[in-house]
Amino acid sequence: MPDTPKLLIQDVTCRFGSTLALARTSLQVRPGEFIAIVGPSGCGKSTLMNVVAGLQRPTEGRVLLDGTDVTGHTGHVGYMFQKDLLVPWRTVTGNIVLGAALTRRATRTDRAEARELAGRYGLGDFVDHFPHALSGGMRQRVALMRTLAFHRDILLLDEPFGALDSQTRFEMQQWLLQVWADSERTVLFITHDVDEAVFLADRVVVMSARPGRISASHQVDLPRPRTLDTVTSPEFTDLKRQVLSALYAARDESGQEVARA
Amino acid sequence: MNRVPRSHAATRMAYPVLAVLLVWAAWELVTRVLKVPSYVIPSPGKTFEALQKDWPNLWQLVLKTSYECVAGFLVGVVVGFLFAVLMGHIKAIQRIFYPILIASQAIPIVALAAPLVIILGFGLTPKLVIVALIVFFPVVVNVLDGLTSVDKDMVALARSMGGNPVKLFLLIRLPATLTPLFSALKLAATYTVTGAVIGEWTASEDPGIGQDLLLKNSRLDTAGVYGDVLLLTAIGLSGFVLIALLEHVLTPWRSRTMARRRPGRRVAYAPVPVVEKA
Ligand SMILES: Nc1ncnc2c1ncn2[C@@H]1O[C@H](COP(=O)(O)OP(=O)(O)OP(=O)(O)O)[C@@H](O)[C@H]1O
Ligand SMILES: [Mg+2]
């Protein structure tokens, strides 16, 4: 192999009692790659993320980060959960520096960086606000800034925009792409939305349920930066159709009913 | 925008004052209009007269009873808190002691006072213990509730960042107990007076307002008794207000939109125009 992959998920399986949440799964991720993972509810997407984050020990297999085995070890990746999980008693700044506060101590520099980050991405007037005073979109942005300020090369984003209205969602997607371009991180992005997956990613990975596993992988070679024009291009529509049919094929295989033909 | 406007604060202050005036008026009305004899219900005037006359003696008793309340309260809160943390972290302890704790609440504290005095003597100790016992229960229950109701995902998030158990406790679990803790403390603060009075009635040494009340009652000094009741109410109320103030200071995220920034901490950034509004 020419380069070591940034992240290597190797033959990971995960079992909860008698349910096999994740069947033998392998995935290789290049440095700086943006991967979107789509799949039906309950197919083990979050479980896979938990394994990569070290929160869940896999039943079998291992996770390699830059060639080092990190299976079952936490603190190596920035992980954003399905919920924003802002800490209610910390201000916006306090939430952004949470990673530093947990691992060492949040220094003056950490706080300055947090304010700078908030300022750069449109929350400059809210650095001292408590989360309850923020809108849903703002909270989501703070959660993402917190993940960024943790300074890990890999970002795991579990349906970060799932709860947002479509307009805010599109703004957030563009914002994320901007952040990603600024920071050269490797991203694993879970979503239910095929449009979102194709719009954002370099590669779309399709998972199927019962047992959860990777059933297809689609390279997305649409030019960047991606804009509204991207969404209306024939290439986009074509890719979307491929991913959708892979999703439905995966469902058929696993014996589930197809929701819409 | 984050501070309550002055006029609002004034209105808010006006309501408690109004409440006091209402009670006063009702009291005056009952004694004057119904012509209740003053040895049955003394008028506010008579009561305050009695308070004033006996004040040189009373203020020391007030201090004594306040001391019992505060010391017993602190003991009850600290022990209750530690116990809750222990139960929250070691499930076996919780399984064993929680039922005992609930059962113990069925025992009337008054009934417990006499045996406690036999064990602990007639001094300060049994009074403290009685007050502490009363405070203990709500603190344990509420803190345990706070500890167990912390969002599991929030703990997982903190863990994913590599936080060790001590940091997790200090930064996530502990602050989560503050809201239920203060609800318990506000109740407990008013209960302490009841505990202190029960204690003083059973353990006669080193008397406070509770003993004084008993004494005046036996002398049919009704105005004096009413005066003592007012003093006890004032002690409990002060405790409540103090705790409420402390709560306001220690849990700013519940009452304020934003944190007060320490002076000299301004940073230079051009505020980006914000479309959304809180
Ligand atoms: N801690 C656990 N204990 C037992 N079963 C679990 C646990 N975590 C997940 N599972 C099971 O594993 C399967 C996969 O769950 P997972 O949360 O990974 O799905 P998902 O793909 O993220 O779904 P969604 O899209 O709805 O978020 C589910 O059947 C779930 O019930
Ligand atoms: Mg999930």
Side-chain angles (χ1 to χ4, degrees), chain A residues 2-261:
Chain A
D3 305 311
T4 42
K6 186 76 210 170
L7 176 73
L8 183 61
I9 299 167
Q10 208 170 48
D11 301 325
V12 163
T13 66
C14 206
R15 200 177 267 292
F16 297 106
S18 59
T19 45
L20 184 59
L22 207 57
R24 193 169 294 265
T25 298
S26 297
L27 184 66
Q28 195 167 320
V29 187
R30 290 193 315 273
E33 196 174 12
F34 195 127
I35 292 201
I37 301 174
V38 293
S41 189
C43 72
K45 303 182 295 292
S46 297
T47 305
L48 183 62
M49 289 286 167
N50 287 336
V51 168
V52 174
L55 289 174
Q56 177 69 52
R57 225 170 221 299
T59 316
E60 281 170 54
R62 35 183 217 154
V63 178
L64 298 165
L65 188 67
D66 293 317
T68 322
D69 192 331
V70 294
T71 319
H73 293 276
T74 57
H76 297 287
V77 297
Y79 188 5
M80 182 173 164
F81 285 56
Q82 269 172 295
K83 294 183 275 178
D84 64 59
L85 293 176
L86 296 186
V87 183
W89 46 87
R90 295 184 147 252
T91 60
V92 166
T93 313
N95 267 287
I96 296 178
V97 301
L98 183 68
L102 278 164
T103 45
R104 34 189 177 87
R105 271 193 70 159
T107 60
R108 197 177 285 258
T109 326
D110 291 320
R111 299 188 159 272
E113 187 211 356
R115 293 209 192 90
E116 197 270 329
L117 205 58
R120 176 154 27 119
Y121 295 123
L123 283 171
D125 281 347
F126 294 85
V127 286
D128 290 321
H129 277 60
F130 290 112
H132 72 82
L134 304 179
S135 72
M138 293 159 104
R139 293 175 61 102
Q140 220 63 29
R141 253 184 289 173
V142 175
L144 193 47
M145 285 179 213
R146 172 171 67 189
T147 318
L148 287 175
F150 190 46
H151 294 294
R152 295 296 183 269
D153 295 342
I154 297 190
L155 302 182
L156 309 181
L157 310 177
D158 192 348
E159 279 190 65
F161 310 142
L164 302 177
D165 64 272
S166 60
Q167 199 180 329
T168 315
R169 194 172 174 145
F170 188 68
E171 281 169 25
M172 294 290 292
Q173 288 167 355
Q174 300 217 287
W175 180 66
L176 173 65
L177 284 182
Q178 187 196 336
V179 169
W180 174 66
D182 288 352
S183 64
E184 300 174 345
R185 318 266 184 118
T186 307
V187 177
L188 294 190
F189 186 102
I190 292 182
T191 177
H192 272 115
D193 182 346
V194 175
D195 279 89
E196 183 172 63
V198 176
F199 180 69
L200 293 174
D202 294 323
R203 182 148 59 109
V204 178
V205 170
V206 181
M207 286 183 73
S208 62
R210 261 163 272 282
R213 77 211 131 79
I214 293 175
S215 57
S217 173
H218 292 267
Q219 194 67 32
V220 181
D221 290 320
L222 300 171
R224 292 189 190 269
R226 295 185 185 162
T227 58
L228 264 177
D229 292 336
T230 313
V231 190
T232 48
S233 71
E235 292 87 350
F236 181 89
T237 321
D238 194 44
L239 270 163
K240 203 177 124 183
R241 188 178 305 119
Q242 287 177 32
V243 173
L244 272 173
S245 58
L247 250 178
Y248 286 125
R251 287 197 186 186
D252 283 340
E253 254 175 68
S254 59
Q256 286 200 343
E257 283 173 36
V258 179
R260 272 155 290 161

Side-chain angles (χ1 to χ4, degrees), chain B residues 157-177:
Chain B
L157 168 83
R159 223 156 56 74
S160 84
M161 291 176 146
N164 62 39
V166 177
K167 284 279 192 172
L168 284 184
F169 180 74
L170 291 178
L171 267 61
I172 307 291
R173 292 206 165 91
L174 187 67
T177 66

